[in-house]
Structure formats: C-alpha cells, structure tokens
C-alpha cells in the first residue's frame, strides 16, 4: 500500500461522507467517527483508491443549496453571494405556482476538468491509498444492517479500516471499480467480492464506454441484445476479446471471423450483404460524375435571426432560414431560441403570444408527469420493478454523462439532478419505451443549451420522436440504417466495401454507435451542437446522417486499406477517431456527396428512396447487363420520402471516376427526369 501523500489524477469516482469508525470493536468506548472523502483516480495508466479525512476549510460561497417546494420539485438556488445576480430571471418563471428556477448557475469548483486537488495537510493517521492491482477482495455489510460499509483486503493480506457510507450506499463505487477489474462473489461468502484482474486496460477512446463488466457481455447479449449492443459493438477490440475469452489458453487465438459471427448473431436478421436472394435484380456500374467543392459559411447571428421575424414574432422565410442554418449553423446566443423551432417544440408559423401560451401549457403538463414518479413512496417502488430498473439505470448513466463539461462537473451538481429528473419524467411520458441506455447522451446537450428543465424536456421529447426506433427493443431502426448505409457506401466505393467484407467487417457494426446517438461520442461537445442543428434542418436530403457516415469512412479508407487493417484493427481504429474528426470538414464532404448524387441521372431506386429523391433516372430490370460483369444485390428499403429543396453549387472539384455497382429491387420502375 502506497503512502497516503499528495495524489492527483483524473477522478473516476468521488464521495464525501465516507466515515471510519475508529473505535470499532471496543466495548467500553463509543465509535469516534472520522469523516472523509473517498476517491478513485486514474493516473499514469494506474487506478488508485484514495481515502483521506475531510479538510475542515470549506468555502461556503461555492455551495449550491437544494430545497423542495410544495410540489416536491427540487429547486436549486445560489449561495447568498450569487443570489442577487439572478433575481430578474426568477420573475420570468412560466408558472409562479410551480416555484421553479428557470436557469441554472454554477460556481466553478477549485479543481476542474477531472483533476484532483492537492492536499496541503500532509499525511494523516487514517489516510490510505492503494493501487487497484493490489486489491484482493472487498467485503460488504449485511443488507439491512445500518449504514453500508466496505472493507478492502489487499494481496499482502493487509486489511484496511472499514469505510462506512453515511450519505448513500456503496453501489456506485463497486460499479466504478468494475470498469477496471472483474468482481465476483466468493463461493464461501456471498458478502465477499473476489478480484480477478484481467486485461481490461482500455485505450483513452474507450473511456466511459464499457458500461458493464466484460464477463457478462455474452450473457447480456442473450438476455437483452439491444442494451448489450450499445455497450459492445462499437468497442470490440482485442482488449475486450481477451476479457471474454478468460484465461483458457486454447481460446486465445480465436479467429476474427468467429468473433464477427458472434457479433452478427447478436442482431438477428441483420444481413447486409445478402447474395442470390429471390426478388433481387442487378444493374450496371454507375459513374456518379464530378463531386462539387463545398464551403461552409458563418453561423447565423442573432441580428440575422431577428431580421426574419415579423411584428407578431413569426418567422418570415422558414426555408431561407433553414438554408442559412444548414450552411453555417447557429451562433450560441441564438440556439436557445432556434432549437425549439428546429426540433418542433415551437411551430415555425407561431406568434410570440402563441408560444408563450404553449410554454405555460407544457409547463403544467411536465410537472404533472414529474409528480407521478416523485409521489411514488418507497413501499410502492418495492412493488414496481420496472420503475426501480429505470431509476437504477438512469442514476448510473447520469453519473457519468459529460462530467468533464462545466455544466455537469463536480459532486452534487444541479445539472445532474435535472438530467435525472427529466429522464425519469420521460419514463412517465413514454411508458412503452421508458429509459434505454444512450438517451442521456441525447438529452445532455439540450439541457446545456436550454438551461431550463421544462424546455429541455420538450425538446428532448421531440428529438426522441425522431430517434425512437433506435431505442426500440427489436432494433428495427438500427437494422434499417445499417442496411441503408451499406447501400450508399457501395454506390460510392464498391472496392472499399469489398475490402471490409473480406475482413469480416461488411456488417458495419463499427458505425453502430454513430447512428444510435447521432455521433454524440465522436465529436467534441461544442462540435455536436453544430452538427445536430445542421442535421435538424433536414437538408439537403433525407438521412443526411448516413452521408456523414460515408464521408467519415471515405476519409479513413486509405489508412485502413494501405495498412491492411483486419477485423480487430478496423474496430479499434474507428473507435479511436473519437474527438479527432473535424466537424466542418465532414459536413462539407457529406454535402458534396449529396450534390454529386443529385446530379446523377442514373441513381438506383434504392438510393433515391433512402435520400428522398424522386426525379433520378433509374435503370429498369431489363437493362442490358453483360454476362461477365460483376454484380451485387441488396434489399430495397421499405419507405420513400418527399424531397427537400436542394441548394445549387457552381464550384467544381476533383473527379472521382472509380466505377461502382449498386443493386435495385425487382419492382423498380423508370422515373422521368425533371
């Protein structure tokens, strides 16, 4: 065990109110309670568990006080120093009877961005820290026996003082440790968790993604393939394979093709590259022609937005405004207003008065739903397993959502309370769906921009209307998108598709996370704000997010093929793109691809339907096909969409003359060009 001196690193877990009862076991003396802070830190590829007495020097000005109003809604107010700055905003509350705070303010903690503070008090008699590699076992208290406590036993048989959790249970700590070690019950004592350290050192891009212990992944896929897919497909590399295989040497050389079959079985029915299926026809190779050069513009300013509003508050030229947003995004000061229109919370043709009335109505509706779960007693919840499961999963996810962002950082953060409450209320709004892992990622940027519980909820509900199929149990939305993405990618570069297939990567599972939560974990937080608002314009075509996927993959094609990446390397490489992608560059490339396809007069019907294009000339099944030509097949998507107006460009760019092949279904008919 290392000396308990100054320690710094990235904080994975932090909990105050963790006590040592220094006189435990003495019959003639009461316990002396020593309050402390327990932390789990990541430093130089090592995980440290650190407990030390609580510093007496507290800055009360940095404390955010919580109280409950008559409707049992948590309200956050500032310490006295800051209270005066927000007074005028409190007067603008939609409904006075709800007594809610419309904005959330923060006072930055002394330590930020995940860095632990340095301690100046020196060593303490009771302070201790140890490396997780030295941990042998953890003993837990019996259920129902007062405060929960844990006793750490190290490999050199050193038993550390019991840590008593006076402010909550110890489950979050156990969950944090399970990201790095495998914990399993001792056959001799169910209260004792034995540590089985396997190779679970994940790269930086995998951080906070492995949400369950690896040893349970296969069982979870069998029980709940959807949730397991979220935590597995986008992160499968040799690191995780090693954990899945265990210590049996005979399994260490499992071929990638076997692992690919394992992944494909997890989403039953998803066969992207089906061959020789009935009902399919083929077409000849298509030359897409020149790809235009696209340049982005400046974000829409508050002044430009205001100029497009009439005296009653209506947006004057909606199509023009959407074009401007698509071209450059929005200035941050404008997002709080504009996102409500883009997401459908506010109708584009509504007046200011109509929107005020709508907000009052929606405020009432929101808090009535919120009170449905807030008023459930503990006794009632014991008989409601579904609500318990939702609450447990939400608390787990909220605790690790965007914690490096100032809006959500630190302990007892009001932003986390609001995240939790909005997600719990959504379970009342949509009983059938409830909460599914990943939804907190979609809510976080909305709450950050809105700074308002009610507005954030209704924007989130509107966004979930678009994303609902992604989170449904049968995963039909995800299956459809992966099939559509394969169709588009094959049209753009059949050679790259063939290479991916040769490496057992043709199912494009590495794009699963991109599609599921709309690139939320691939770009920086601020870049996601830009990317989402552009996509919400629904320009320049339907399913523009699939063209974004194509643009990213096209950018990585050269490295993947030239370095001969196999199944494992492709998955690892795609994951490590996280936070390294230039959002403006990818938006330009994706728009250029869309313009290139629009100008092509021979687009397959399948592609026209995916992108919502109606006027391309499509070869019919009786098109002349040479006997020796290579052909491919794919199913026809089941729906078509009306097209949006497309912008025109006169710029020309480098020509991509590589021919490709694309399938169409047997019932394709020829469309007349415009």
């Amino acid at each position: 065990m290392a000396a308990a001196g100054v320690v710094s690193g990235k904080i994975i877990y932090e909990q105050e109110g963790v006590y040592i009862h220094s006189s435990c076991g003495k019959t003639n003396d009461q316990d002396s309670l020593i309050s402390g802070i327990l932390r789990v830190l990541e430093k130089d590829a090592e995980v440290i568990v650190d407990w030390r007495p609580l510093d007496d020097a507290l800055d009360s000005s940095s404390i955010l006080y919580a109280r409950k109003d008559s409707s049992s809604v948590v309200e956050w107010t500032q310490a006295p120093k800051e209270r005066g700055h927000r007074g005028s905003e409190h007067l603008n509350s939609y409904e006075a009877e709800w007594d809610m705070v419309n904005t959330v303010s923060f006072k930055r903690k002394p330590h930020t961005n995940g860095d632990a503070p340095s301690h100046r008090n020196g060593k303490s008699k009771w302070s201790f820290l140890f490396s997780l590699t030295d941990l042998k076992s953890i003993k837990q208290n019996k259920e129902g026996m007062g405060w929960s406590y844990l006793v750490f036993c190290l490999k050199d048989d050193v038993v550390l003082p019991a840590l008593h959790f006076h402010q909550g249970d110890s489950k979050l700590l156990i969950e944090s440790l399970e990201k790095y070690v495998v914990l399993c019950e001792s056959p001799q004592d169910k209260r004792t968790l034995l540590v089985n350290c396997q190779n679970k050192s994940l790269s930086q891009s995998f951080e906070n993604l492995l949400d369950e212990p690896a040893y349970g992944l296969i069982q979870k896929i069998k029980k709940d393939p959807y949730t397991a897919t979220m935590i597995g497909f986008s992160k499968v590399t040799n690191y995780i394979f090693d954990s899945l295989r265990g210590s049996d040497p005979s399994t260490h050389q499992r071929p990638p093709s076997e692992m690919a079959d394992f992944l494909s079985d997890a989403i039953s029915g998803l066969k992207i590259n089906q061959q020789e299926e009935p009902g399919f026809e083929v077409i000849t190779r298509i030359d897409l022609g020149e790809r235009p050069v696209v340049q982005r513009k400046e974000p829409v300013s508050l002044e430009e937005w205001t100029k497009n509003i009439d005296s009653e508050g209506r947006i004057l030229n909606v199509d023009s405004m959407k074009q401007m947003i698509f071209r450059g995004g929005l200035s941050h000061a404008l997002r709080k207003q504009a996102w409500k229109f883009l997401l459908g919370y506010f109708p584009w043709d509504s007046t200011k008065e109509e929107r005020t009335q709508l907000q009052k109505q929606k405020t009432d509706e929101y808090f009535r739903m919120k009170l449905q779960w807030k008023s459930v007693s503990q006794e009632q919840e014991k008989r409601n397993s579904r609500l318990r499961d939702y609450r447990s999963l939400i608390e787990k996810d909220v605790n690790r959502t965007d914690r490096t962002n100032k809006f959500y950082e630190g302990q007892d953060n009001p932003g986390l309370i609001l995240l939790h409450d909005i997600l719990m209320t959504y379970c009342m709004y949509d009983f059938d769906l409830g909460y599914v892992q990943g939804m907190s990622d979609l809510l976080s940027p909305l709450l950050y921009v809105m700074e308002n519980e009610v507005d954030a909820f209704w924007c989130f509900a509107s966004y979930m209307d678009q994303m609902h199929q992604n989170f449904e149990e049968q995963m039909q939305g995800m299956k459809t998108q992966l099939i559509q993405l394969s169709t588009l990618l094959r049209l753009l570069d059949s050679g790259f598709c063939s290479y991916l297939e040769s490496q057992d990567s043709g199912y494009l599972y590495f794009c699963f996370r991109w599609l599921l939560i709309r690139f939320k974990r691939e770009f920086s937080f601020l870049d996601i704000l830009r990317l989402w608002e552009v996509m919400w314009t629904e320009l320049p075509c339907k399913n523009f997010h699939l063209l974004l996927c194509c643009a990213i993959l096209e950018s990585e094609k050269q490295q993947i093929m030239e370095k001969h990446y196999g199944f494992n390397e492709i998955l690892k490489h795609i994951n490590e793109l996280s936070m390294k992608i230039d959002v403006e560059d990818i938006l330009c490339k994706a728009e250029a691809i869309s313009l290139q396809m629009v100008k092509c007069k021979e687009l397959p019907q399948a592609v026209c339907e995916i992108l919502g294009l109606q006027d391309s000339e499509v070869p019919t099944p009786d098109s002349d096909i040479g006997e020796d030509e290579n052909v491919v097949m794919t199913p026809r998507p089941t729906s078509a969409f009306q097209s949006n107006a497309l912008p025109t460009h006169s710029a020309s760019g480098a020509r991509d003359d590589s021919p490709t092949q694309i399938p169409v279904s047997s019932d394709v008919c020829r469309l007349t060009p415009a």
Side-chain angles (χ1 to χ4, degrees), residues 40-285:
V40 179
L41 308 105
E42 213 177 60
K43 180 176 174 61
D44 300 328
E46 187 176 19
V47 180
I48 303 294
V49 178
D50 174 36
W51 183 91
R52 61 190 62 246
L54 187 63
D55 188 350
D56 293 331
L58 294 176
D59 178 11
S60 62
S61 66
S62 68
I63 299 175
L64 289 165
Y65 300 97
R67 69 171 183 265
K68 292 187 178 181
D69 63 12
S70 58
S71 61
S72 299
V73 178
V74 173
E75 177 187 345
W76 291 92
T77 60
Q78 294 78 31
K81 284 185 181 179
E82 296 185 354
R83 199 166 287 159
H85 299 294
R86 294 290 181 176
S88 61
E89 293 179 8
H90 287 237
L91 298 178
N92 297 323
S93 298
Y94 302 140
E95 289 289 343
E97 59 266 27
W98 289 116
D99 191 26
M100 63 173 282
V101 176
N102 275 334
T103 57
V104 180
S105 68
F106 300 86
K107 185 174 183 66
R108 197 176 185 87
K109 301 293 184 181
H111 54 284
T112 58
N113 298 327
D115 292 331
S118 298
H119 298 272
R120 300 180 181 178
N121 296 338
K123 298 180 182 179
S124 164
K125 173 183 177 181
W126 294 102
S127 297
F128 65 80
L129 64 87
F130 60 88
S131 171
L132 205 55
T133 58
D134 295 328
L135 183 61
K136 178 180 179 181
S137 64
I138 305 173
K139 188 166 185 177
Q140 306 173 92
N141 63 299
K142 291 182 179 179
E143 291 188 11
M145 298 293 289
W147 291 308
S148 63
Y149 68 79
L150 296 178
V151 178
F152 294 109
C153 179
L154 306 184
K155 290 180 179 178
D156 54 4
D157 292 328
V158 171
V159 179
L160 299 175
L163 297 179
H164 297 255
F165 292 75
H166 288 204
Q167 298 179 9
D169 59 32
S170 55
K171 290 180 181 178
L172 283 177
L173 173 62
I174 297 297
E175 291 170 359
S176 298
L177 297 180
E178 284 181 328
K179 296 177 182 179
Y180 302 96
V181 294
V182 175
L183 299 175
C184 50
E185 287 185 357
S186 167
Q188 287 77 30
D189 182 2
K190 291 185 177 181
R191 294 168 54 198
T192 300
L193 298 177
L194 301 178
V195 179
N196 177 18
C197 290
Q198 301 184 21
N199 183 12
K200 299 195 66 178
S201 174
L202 304 182
S203 64
Q204 182 68 22
S205 63
F206 286 68
E207 184 184 312
N208 291 331
L209 296 182
L210 188 58
D211 299 318
E212 298 290 345
Y215 68 84
L217 181 56
I218 294 178
Q219 288 78 6
K220 288 184 179 295
I221 285 180
K222 291 177 180 177
K223 180 180 179 181
D224 184 356
Y226 176 80
T227 303
T229 299
M230 169 61 190
I231 66 171
F233 286 154
S234 298
K235 310 178 295 296
V236 178
T237 66
N238 277 325
Y239 300 116
I240 298 178
F241 293 161
D242 290 343
S243 296
L244 288 171
R245 295 165 187 161
S247 57
D248 183 0
S250 65
T251 65
H252 284 186
Q253 301 301 318
R254 181 170 296 176
S257 59
E258 185 175 337
M259 294 308 298
D261 291 340
F262 163 74
L263 291 178
S264 64
D265 289 343
I267 305 185
S268 58
L270 179 57
K271 300 295 182 182
I272 293 178
N273 299 305
Q274 300 184 47
Q275 299 289 329
E276 299 179 3
E277 291 289 335
F280 287 81
E281 293 292 341
V282 295
I283 63 171
T284 55
R285 296 182 178 184

Side-chain angles (χ1 to χ4, degrees), residues 162-435:
L163 297 179
H164 297 255
F165 292 75
H166 288 204
Q167 298 179 9
D169 59 32
S170 55
K171 290 180 181 178
L172 283 177
L173 173 62
I174 297 297
E175 291 170 359
S176 298
L177 297 180
E178 284 181 328
K179 296 177 182 179
Y180 302 96
V181 294
V182 175
L183 299 175
C184 50
E185 287 185 357
S186 167
Q188 287 77 30
D189 182 2
K190 291 185 177 181
R191 294 168 54 198
T192 300
L193 298 177
L194 301 178
V195 179
N196 177 18
C197 290
Q198 301 184 21
N199 183 12
K200 299 195 66 178
S201 174
L202 304 182
S203 64
Q204 182 68 22
S205 63
F206 286 68
E207 184 184 312
N208 291 331
L209 296 182
L210 188 58
D211 299 318
E212 298 290 345
Y215 68 84
L217 181 56
I218 294 178
Q219 288 78 6
K220 288 184 179 295
I221 285 180
K222 291 177 180 177
K223 180 180 179 181
D224 184 356
Y226 176 80
T227 303
T229 299
M230 169 61 190
I231 66 171
F233 286 154
S234 298
K235 310 178 295 296
V236 178
T237 66
N238 277 325
Y239 300 116
I240 298 178
F241 293 161
D242 290 343
S243 296
L244 288 171
R245 295 165 187 161
S247 57
D248 183 0
S250 65
T251 65
H252 284 186
Q253 301 301 318
R254 181 170 296 176
S257 59
E258 185 175 337
M259 294 308 298
D261 291 340
F262 163 74
L263 291 178
S264 64
D265 289 343
I267 305 185
S268 58
L270 179 57
K271 300 295 182 182
I272 293 178
N273 299 305
Q274 300 184 47
Q275 299 289 329
E276 299 179 3
E277 291 289 335
F280 287 81
E281 293 292 341
V282 295
I283 63 171
T284 55
R285 296 182 178 184
I286 296 174
D287 182 359
L288 292 175
E290 289 189 13
R291 181 176 298 179
V293 173
V294 173
Q295 293 183 343
R296 303 280 298 159
K297 294 187 177 181
E298 291 298 313
V300 179
S301 67
L302 187 59
E303 181 182 2
E304 290 173 307
W305 176 268
T306 305
K307 285 180 180 178
N308 278 275
I309 298 178
D310 68 14
S311 59
E312 293 186 329
R314 295 186 187 88
I315 308 298
L316 292 174
N317 192 331
V318 175
D319 290 339
S320 174
M321 181 57 66
K322 286 184 177 180
Q323 288 280 0
M324 293 168 63
I325 297 171
F326 175 77
R327 289 267 172 256
L330 295 160
S331 61
H332 189 69
L334 184 54
R335 284 178 171 138
K336 190 178 295 188
Q337 294 183 57
W339 279 23
K340 296 168 188 173
F341 291 92
L342 288 170
L343 285 165
Y345 176 32
F346 286 170
W348 284 96
D349 59 352
S350 61
T351 66
K352 183 177 180 180
E353 178 61 28
E354 289 169 343
R355 294 193 291 272
T356 300
Q357 292 301 317
L358 177 65
Q359 283 183 305
K360 289 181 178 179
Q361 173 192 335
K362 291 297 186 181
T363 299
D364 255 357
E365 190 175 345
Y366 172 77
F367 281 109
R368 284 192 173 88
M369 289 187 293
K370 182 171 182 176
L371 288 175
Q372 289 175 7
W373 64 267
K374 293 284 275 187
S375 60
V376 174
S377 67
Q378 290 185 352
E379 286 300 316
Q380 286 177 298
E381 191 165 321
K382 288 179 181 179
R383 297 185 291 272
N384 190 333
S385 60
R386 194 172 184 184
L387 183 62
R388 287 199 312 272
D389 291 345
Y390 286 153
R391 187 191 296 273
S392 175
L393 188 54
I394 288 171
E395 289 174 352
K396 182 178 178 181
D397 280 3
V398 162
N399 193 52
R400 56 193 171 190
T401 298
D402 292 322
R403 296 306 301 277
T404 58
N405 187 302
K406 184 176 73 171
F407 197 84
Y408 300 109
E409 71 182 2
Q411 292 294 314
D412 300 323
N413 187 299
L416 300 181
I417 298 292
L418 294 179
L419 271 180
H420 171 274
D421 287 3
I422 292 171
L423 292 171
M424 285 295 296
T425 305
Y426 186 82
C427 293
M428 302 296 103
Y429 174 79
D430 190 337
F431 285 100
D432 291 335
L433 182 62
Y435 179 78

